[in-house]
């Protein structure tokens, strides 16, 4: 973020009292990392692999190795089983199972 820039709506912190908002905020951070990758490619096309590109690539890699893995684990262990329990229609449950497998 640029110095003195105002934080965006997606930068607000959420607490454990609202787990779905926490997952949504994590999805927004994933989107930011993917945007960084897009910008990194353009940067490298223009300037090559310089120190700035190297630092950005390391930060994205670190994010996906740690935070994104924890996020995926949270979805698998906590969110998806709760959603599956709440689906009463067998057809909907099967569709959810296919979606879960695809994710």
């Amino acid at each position: 973020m640029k110095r003195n820039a105002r934080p965006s709506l997606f930068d607000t912190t959420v607490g454990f009292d609202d787990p779905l908002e926490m997952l949504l905020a994590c999805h927004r951070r994933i989107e930011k990392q993917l945007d960084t990758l897009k910008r990194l490619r353009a940067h490298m096309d223009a300037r090559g692999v310089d120190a700035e590109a190297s630092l950005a690539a390391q930060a994205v890699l670190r994010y996906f190795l740690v935070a994104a893995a924890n996020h995926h684990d949270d979805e698998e262990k906590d969110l998806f089983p709760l959603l599956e329990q709440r689906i009463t229609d067998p057809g909907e449950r099967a569709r959810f199972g296919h979606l879960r497998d695809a994710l």
Side-chain angles (χ1 to χ4, degrees):
M1 184 163 39
K2 293 180 182 177
R3 185 178 293 233
N4 298 326
R6 294 168 62 196
S8 76
L9 173 65
F10 300 120
D11 290 334
T12 50
T13 56
V14 293
F16 287 103
D17 56 325
D18 197 346
L20 291 179
E21 280 299 318
M22 286 184 69
L23 286 170
L24 179 62
C26 188
H27 281 206
R28 296 298 174 247
R29 287 189 294 276
I30 291 169
E31 290 170 346
K32 282 178 140 182
Q33 296 299 322
L34 294 174
D35 185 58
T36 297
L37 283 176
K38 277 196 270 185
R39 289 185 287 117
L40 179 59
R41 180 179 174 134
H43 176 94
M44 289 175 27
D45 286 346
R47 299 182 187 173
V49 180
D50 59 7
E52 188 177 354
S54 181
L55 288 173
Q58 289 174 35
V60 170
L61 179 61
R62 195 170 36 255
Y63 178 82
F64 281 109
L65 287 174
V66 178
N70 290 336
H71 171 81
H72 179 73
D73 195 50
D74 287 342
E75 286 180 333
E76 285 295 322
K77 290 182 179 175
D78 297 321
L79 178 64
F80 293 158
L82 286 174
L83 290 173
E84 196 167 38
Q85 287 175 3
R86 293 176 183 237
I87 300 172
T88 57
D89 179 83
E92 288 296 321
R93 186 179 293 233
R95 280 191 285 282
F96 177 75
H98 292 302
L99 173 65
R100 184 178 180 177
D101 291 343
L103 291 173

